[in-house]
Amino acid sequence: MTSKIAILPGDGIGPEIIDEAVKVLNCLQANHGLDIEMESAHIGGAAYDESGSPLPQATLDLCKASNAILLGAVGGPQYESLERDLRPEKGLLGLRSELELFSNLRPAILYPQLANASSLKPEIVSGLDIMIVRELTGGIYFGQPRGIRSLEGGEREGYNTLVYAEHEIERIARSAFDVAMKRDKKVCSVDKANVLEVSELWREVMIRVSKDYPEVELSHMYVDNASMQLVKWPKQFDVMVTKNMFGDILSDTAAMLTGSIGMLPSASLDQNGKGMYEPIHGSAPDIAGTNTANPLATILSVAMMLRYSLNESVIADLIEQAVSDVLDQGIRTQDIADGGAYVSTREMGDAVVKALQK
Ligand code: NAD
């Protein structure tokens, strides 16, 4: 069956990097039998410029009708003075909540060819391949009540609520175990069960769900230890699953282990495996329009899309192998060139397509 893919280039370098990802998809259609149709729409600042809304109804309708969404990036300095509801980021957040994308997959992969880009010793990080599964639509960022209130005597206090219902924990657990089944079958659940009741319940539900995945090895780690272990011995991890706020922090630490923001893809999935795929970096206004952005994070987002939403693991492997081949050939964009020679955004996309055609 033909899969429909919504293509949302967005702002800044978004259109440039998305062009290269589309090139890769066209090649897979022509040479590897990938059965897809693509349709583009505006989001973020580009959508605001066109229609006055960062998430127009037509874009939302297209995304709802698609099997997967590929997004470039949103945002830019020209939109920063807009009122909050009209800012580009609102388009992205709106899409995540409208589509109930509760499971955020953030891989931290360091290709051995780029091991020197990390601030950690190459032997600690070379070949690193961790997947952080972060709960994205619940927890303390959304819990009620929240606010700032005045106390007797006039002092104010701020308060937020960390709350997870069992069904929210269960669905993120299943998401993590499903991901682990496609990888090395190890899940480390990160919590703070020694202090927080919500973590006690989290741990209990993780253990219960793990019974449905007898092949997957489940372990538990307190979040403070997890942050230490990530920089001490990151290769011990396969899949890490955690709450919204812990995941927010740990996934940025893990991303920085690799030292190359232009290389990291991400996915946000709903209950049925439909997902939005995007590089972890932003719209990089400082280099937009210069044909120097690294398109590999977006191309690797395509690989994630094929693996997690379209069930095309074999073709996903081909993309990842093509990226590795290109790095083997010494082809680099400016951000990963370590001061050496580099190619343009378009030349990097062409190199991946050429490697795929071999
Ligand atoms: P950024 O990720 O856009 O850029 C940080 C630095 O990394 C810049 O120097 C940039 O040139 C570089 N960089 C980023 N992607 C690159 C790539 N593919 N190739 C080469 N270099 C790359 O973060 P920022 O500067 O903090 O934010 C810029 C804008 O992006 C802001 O408006 C912000 O709100 C937005 N943003 C959007 C998203 C998203 O769309 N998901 C995420 C983060 C930031």
Side-chain angles (χ1 to χ4, degrees):
M1 202 185 71
T2 306
S3 300
K4 187 166 177 116
I5 300 172
I7 306 280
L8 310 182
D11 309 318
I13 59 170
E16 296 165 67
I17 53 178
I18 282 286
D19 276 354
E20 301 316 305
V22 168
K23 241 186 224 173
V24 166
L25 282 164
N26 284 331
C27 166
L28 295 169
Q29 260 182 313
N31 299 313
H32 296 282
L34 183 64
D35 189 7
I36 54 166
E37 58 173 318
M38 295 180 258
E39 191 176 333
S40 298
H42 286 311
I43 189 161
Y48 171 79
D49 289 341
E50 194 199 46
S51 67
S53 160
L55 180 57
Q57 190 60 43
T59 301
L60 186 56
D61 290 345
L62 171 67
C63 293
K64 284 186 172 165
S66 300
N67 301 91
I69 299 144
L70 182 66
L71 181 125
V74 299
Q78 67 272 46
Y79 305 111
E80 276 164 18
S81 56
L82 289 175
E83 64 179 83
R84 197 162 287 280
D85 273 354
L86 297 176
R87 288 195 202 152
E89 297 72 21
K90 202 72 192 171
L92 201 53
L93 295 175
L95 212 43
R96 283 181 188 153
S97 66
E98 284 282 341
L99 299 177
E100 290 187 63
L101 304 174
F102 68 91
S103 174
N104 186 211
L105 272 45
R106 290 267 306 252
I109 299 168
L110 182 54
Y111 285 87
Q113 302 92 320
L114 301 177
N116 285 330
S118 174
S119 51
L120 295 187
K121 293 187 195 112
E123 63 268 27
I124 305 269
V125 288
S126 179
L128 182 76
D129 184 356
I130 304 176
M131 179 71 81
I132 297 194
V133 179
R134 167 190 171 193
E135 202 289 327
L136 199 58
T137 54
I140 197 162
Y141 293 169
F142 295 92
Q144 294 289 346
R146 61 189 295 160
I148 299 173
R149 61 192 163 205
S150 292
L151 302 174
E152 258 175 57
E155 192 193 0
R156 293 182 305 156
E157 75 176 3
Y159 57 100
N160 290 87
T161 303
L162 173 51
V163 57
Y164 272 107
E166 275 183 296
H167 77 272
E168 291 176 292
I169 307 172
E170 177 161 349
R171 66 182 185 179
I172 194 70
R174 291 200 182 281
S175 188
F177 284 109
D178 286 341
V179 167
M181 287 298 289
K182 296 185 181 189
R183 296 172 47 99
D184 287 346
K185 301 190 172 68
K186 280 180 8 182
V187 170
C188 177
S189 169
V190 176
D191 63 32
K192 192 74 184 168
N194 48 343
V195 178
L196 301 172
E197 286 78 1
V198 66
S199 276
E200 246 178 78
L201 182 68
W202 177 280
R203 200 176 268 219
E204 196 190 303
V205 175
M206 285 288 154
I207 292 169
R208 191 173 76 215
V209 172
S210 75
K211 306 272 192 284
D212 293 339
Y213 297 84
E215 287 175 60
V216 179
E217 178 193 320
L218 171 67
S219 60
H220 306 274
M221 197 177 275
Y222 297 139
V223 63
D224 40 352
N225 187 25
S227 72
M228 286 196 288
Q229 295 299 328
L230 262 181
V231 287
K232 185 177 174 208
W233 180 35
K235 284 192 260 185
Q236 70 186 282
F237 297 111
D238 175 26
V239 175
M240 299 174 92
V241 61
T242 191
K243 308 181 175 74
N244 203 342
M245 182 164 65
F246 295 164
D248 190 3
I249 299 164
L250 293 180
S251 62
D252 271 11
T253 306
M256 281 306 107
L257 294 175
T258 74
S260 34
I261 194 173
M263 295 292 302
L264 295 177
S266 76
S268 306
L269 305 178
D270 77 359
Q271 191 116 35
N272 305 311
K274 173 170 170 164
M276 178 159 78
Y277 297 83
E278 55 182 317
I280 68 156
H281 59 72
S283 59
D286 52 334
I287 56 167
T290 61
N291 192 24
T292 55
N294 186 347
L296 293 179
T298 316
I299 290 171
L300 291 167
S301 300
V302 171
M304 284 190 86
M305 178 171 81
L306 296 178
R307 181 168 293 120
Y308 293 109
S309 285
L310 304 192
N311 234 342
E312 293 278 9
S313 294
V314 175
I315 306 183
D317 289 346
L318 289 178
I319 299 176
E320 286 162 356
Q321 187 56 50
V323 169
S324 184
D325 290 350
V326 164
L327 295 177
D328 277 343
Q329 292 161 40
I331 300 173
R332 304 279 188 272
T333 43
Q334 193 168 8
D335 58 311
I336 52 172
D338 207 12
Y342 57 86
V343 301
S344 69
T345 307
R346 285 195 281 276
E347 285 167 327
M348 182 55 102
D350 290 341
V352 175
V353 167
K354 196 166 160 205
L356 272 173
Q357 283 167 336
K358 269 208 210 119

